[in-house]
Amino acid sequence: LGLESYLILRQADDKLNDSVDPGLCGNLLINRLVGANLRMVSKSEYVKNGQFKLVSTLADQLTEQGKKPYKIAVGGSTTVGAWGYLQFVEELRQQIAAGKTE
């Protein structure tokens, strides 16, 4: 589809200072495999600004680059986020039923 994804990820303040790259732990392997753009922020920055301000700032930057960002809040914390999880499960169910489990 040609869609790009940008993720804002929190990392402990001391770890962010050591290395901006958190490696391949947790979902990061999947995020990297699908080509997600990672924006790392410290926990203190996240607490200070909150998810909505951080997301809006990133969306403004992308808009200035001529992109048309669509903002989605953390996980299933909104109707759109919860719907995304439901759609994922349905798509996975269909792929398994069709034998597309490779």
Side-chain angles (χ1 to χ4, degrees), residues 5-67:
S5 63
Y6 289 79
L7 306 175
I8 299 173
L9 303 176
R10 293 177 297 233
Q11 193 168 23
D13 291 17
D14 59 334
K15 291 193 178 194
L16 189 62
N17 292 332
D18 293 339
S19 170
V20 175
D21 189 340
L24 298 174
C25 58
N27 289 335
L28 287 172
L29 175 60
I30 295 169
N31 296 336
R32 291 176 189 275
L33 286 173
V34 298
N37 297 284
L38 306 180
R39 298 284 175 104
M40 303 305 298
V41 298
S42 66
K43 259 188 175 172
S44 59
E45 181 182 359
Y46 190 89
V47 168
K48 177 183 173 187
N49 294 301
Q51 71 167 304
F52 297 108
K53 183 175 180 182
L54 291 169
V55 170
S56 291
T57 300
L58 176 57
D60 291 344
Q61 293 169 351
L62 295 171
T63 300
E64 288 173 7
Q65 296 172 17
K67 299 180 183 198

Side-chain angles (χ1 to χ4, degrees), residues 70 72-86:
Y70 183 81
I72 300 177
V74 174
S77 62
T78 65
T79 305
V80 173
W83 185 251
Y85 280 115
L86 291 172

